[in-house]
Amino acid sequence: ISGADVPQEQKAGWASFIKSLAQMTGDLSSMTAPPFILSPTSLTEFPAYWCEHPDLFASISEGATDKERMERVLKWFIGTLSAQYTTRNEKMGSEKKPLNPVLGELFYGVWPDINGRGETRLIVEQVSHHPPIEHSYIENQKAGVKLQGHSGQKTSFTGTAINVKQSGHAILTVQPKNGQKEEKYLITLPKLRIEGIIWGSPYIELTDTNAIQSSTGYTAQIDYKGKGYFTGKTHSFKAAITAGNKTVQTYEGQWTGKSFIGGSKSHLFLDTTGPKEEVSVKNVEQQTEWESRKLWVNVAKGIRTGNYDEAGKDKTRIENEQRQRRKDEAAGNTTWSHLHFDHVDSDPDYQMLSALLHDKLTPAHEDAYVFKENTRDIVGRQA
Ligand code: HCR
């Protein structure tokens, strides 16, 4: 039944939200949605999902051979998916609409050094408001593993589902522990389909394909299918590591559960049902004005407590402040400068690795941002 999971008093609002989806022009972030579907978390926090298995991230550099490291990269990547795409359903009952970040919004976090794996640090900065693009940097210096990437989204409505095409990519840099030279991995981002819209209980299914290309020559391709294709189960994938035209190893299973090496179920590859390690973040009281949780504190409180007037008022204040900043910049002929990242027209790592992919999985050219190493220890922007 249409809207079955929508609170009675918000059914009309949900129906008109669905109607307006049909007119959407690719950016869903600025659309107004009824309160029951709002999340109190900003999109700027999402890059933390890349590292809720810090052990898998750190252990990549311990792989003894090029192939073993590619396999470890694949394992860590598959391990990130359930956090990235099912957390809101687990914690809030369904997928929700995240807060729409402002330009310059920041998010910092850390995963502590446990059992000598090294500390993992996260720095995120919102580098675009419309459309929202967040750029992130994650590093474990002791392990010799770092990840840089950005994600933007282009959305379209099919009538029953929202298709989301992610732009952007991530580059993983690994210094192998065996002393081999540093290697890079280009990670392209999967496509999403948001199902369950009509009922008011959205959830995500991954579709199509994404790839990981290593500078060592190994490629991993991951194909996603929902219920009824590979296993009859939701959230299924098949992956293959290839070198040249030769398939070296295949994997299959569920990215929300168990997956196996090869076609049988005798060799477990990964079990993602275990606990995830959420990133540790400073208390809001200790954060600076541009840090996400501090910036949105009243909006988030309003959403959590059902005080949507309070949430709406503070959201309007933040948006007006932003509009004024843009006006001031235009009047003063200045532009906003990012704190932690430099925009570059072309990233040589991306060019080199995407050329190795030999197919249409990546656009030939993508804008990129480069981490400003000398801002590693700067926390927060001065007002
Ligand atoms: C599509 C989405 C915003 C973007 C979110 C991204 C793609 C952001 C990058 C992360 O690495 C992975 C990720 C996970 C999220 O699942 C995805 C969001 C899901 C919903 C949200 C829409 C803009 C909001 C849709 C509103 C619906 C729920 C009615």
Side-chain angles (χ1 to χ4, degrees):
I1 311 149
S2 172
D5 294 333
V6 180
Q8 188 56 37
E9 70 287 359
Q10 295 182 38
K11 282 198 191 295
W14 187 241
S16 76
F17 176 71
I18 294 178
K19 251 192 216 152
S20 53
L21 283 174
Q23 276 117 50
M24 175 175 59
T25 53
D27 180 9
L28 198 150
S29 62
S30 53
M31 285 174 54
T32 308
F36 84 95
I37 207 74
L38 302 180
S39 152
T41 306
S42 161
L43 207 51
T44 310
E45 292 201 21
F46 280 44
Y49 293 134
W50 282 102
C51 212
E52 293 199 344
H53 291 290
D55 290 330
L56 292 180
F57 186 68
S59 74
I60 293 171
S61 55
E62 282 160 22
T65 60
D66 296 1
K67 184 205 149 200
E68 213 183 286
R69 286 189 296 282
M70 177 80 239
E71 189 173 62
R72 283 169 186 241
V73 173
L74 178 65
K75 188 178 276 190
W76 155 76
F77 174 78
I78 299 291
T80 68
L81 298 177
S82 66
Q84 303 256 30
Y85 302 109
T86 64
T87 299
R88 279 78 53 199
N89 291 68
E90 282 162 16
K91 291 196 173 164
M92 299 186 262
S94 80
E95 186 60 63
K96 301 278 174 182
K97 188 170 184 292
L99 296 172
N100 190 19
V102 302
L103 182 62
E105 189 171 325
L106 299 165
F107 184 66
Y108 302 106
V110 72
W111 291 268
D113 180 355
I114 298 173
N115 300 331
R117 71 181 179 200
E119 181 187 79
T120 313
R121 290 180 60 187
L122 167 74
I123 297 175
V124 188
E125 181 169 2
Q126 199 65 30
V127 293
S128 167
H129 176 53
H130 276 308
I133 301 177
E134 48 286 338
H135 192 87
S136 57
Y137 181 78
I138 302 178
E139 78 173 350
N140 181 331
Q141 283 189 330
K142 183 174 181 204
V145 185
K146 57 187 180 189
L147 180 78
Q148 274 214 61
H150 69 277
S151 155
Q153 302 87 42
K154 203 166 167 40
T155 39
S156 59
F157 188 51
T158 64
T160 54
I162 299 172
N163 284 332
V164 183
K165 207 175 155 197
Q166 294 197 71
S167 61
H169 60 267
I171 304 255
L172 180 78
T173 307
V174 179
Q175 176 55 65
K177 287 289 172 207
N178 64 8
Q180 270 178 256
K181 76 171 181 4
E182 185 181 88
E183 48 202 41
K184 308 259 180 184
Y185 297 80
L186 166 67
I187 302 166
T188 66
L189 305 173
K191 291 193 184 112
L192 288 59
R193 207 176 44 239
I194 308 176
E195 309 261 21
I197 296 289
I198 302 300
W199 292 273
S201 44
Y203 67 93
I204 286 173
E205 192 52 274
L206 295 178
T207 66
D208 294 303
T209 293
N210 81 304
I212 305 173
Q213 177 63 52
S214 168
S215 56
T216 61
Y218 283 100
T219 311
Q221 178 163 321
I222 306 114
D223 296 320
Y224 302 95
K225 288 284 184 287
K227 209 175 166 72
Y229 282 85
F230 298 148
T231 63
K233 290 181 176 164
T234 53
H235 309 321
S236 298
F237 76 94
K238 278 186 181 184
I241 292 181
T242 53
N245 290 331
K246 204 170 148 261
T247 299
V248 178
Q249 192 60 261
T250 60
Y251 308 83
E252 62 181 88
Q254 281 181 294
W255 48 267
T256 43
K258 289 186 177 158
S259 52
F260 299 88
I261 300 177
S264 76
K265 291 201 167 165
S266 45
H267 294 102
L268 186 69
F269 178 52
L270 182 64
D271 182 354
T272 61
T273 54
K276 296 170 199 142
E277 272 182 61
E278 264 183 47
V279 70
S280 302
V281 180
K282 272 192 204 158
N283 289 333
V284 169
E285 299 74 46
Q286 297 165 291
Q287 294 188 10
T288 57
E289 300 301 316
W290 286 91
E291 284 176 71
S292 190
R293 291 188 189 174
K294 173 99 168 193
L295 180 80
W296 293 106
V297 66
N298 294 324
V299 179
K301 193 168 142 228
I303 292 175
R304 284 202 182 96
T305 58
N307 187 343
Y308 300 114
D309 279 351
E310 180 186 340
K313 267 193 206 134
D314 215 48
K315 185 168 167 283
T316 306
R317 177 190 62 79
I318 294 170
E319 285 165 355
N320 287 343
E321 231 172 76
Q322 284 290 310
R323 267 191 281 274
Q324 191 56 47
R325 268 178 200 279
R326 301 291 88 81
K327 275 190 199 156
D328 293 347
E329 284 162 8
N333 211 9
T334 57
T335 50
W336 179 260
S337 62
H338 309 311
L339 179 64
H340 292 290
F341 301 98
D342 273 328
H343 177 262
V344 288
D345 285 333
S346 169
D347 170 12
D349 289 335
Y350 179 79
Q351 298 306 328
M352 182 261 293
L353 293 163
S354 61
L356 289 174
L357 267 176
H358 296 305
D359 57 25
K360 300 187 192 70
L361 286 175
T362 52
H365 179 86
E366 271 220 329
D367 275 11
Y369 299 86
V370 176
F371 180 57
K372 299 185 206 175
E373 297 277 341
N374 61 353
T375 65
R376 183 178 272 106
D377 296 318
I378 296 177
V379 175
R381 181 189 280 274
Q382 298 312 310

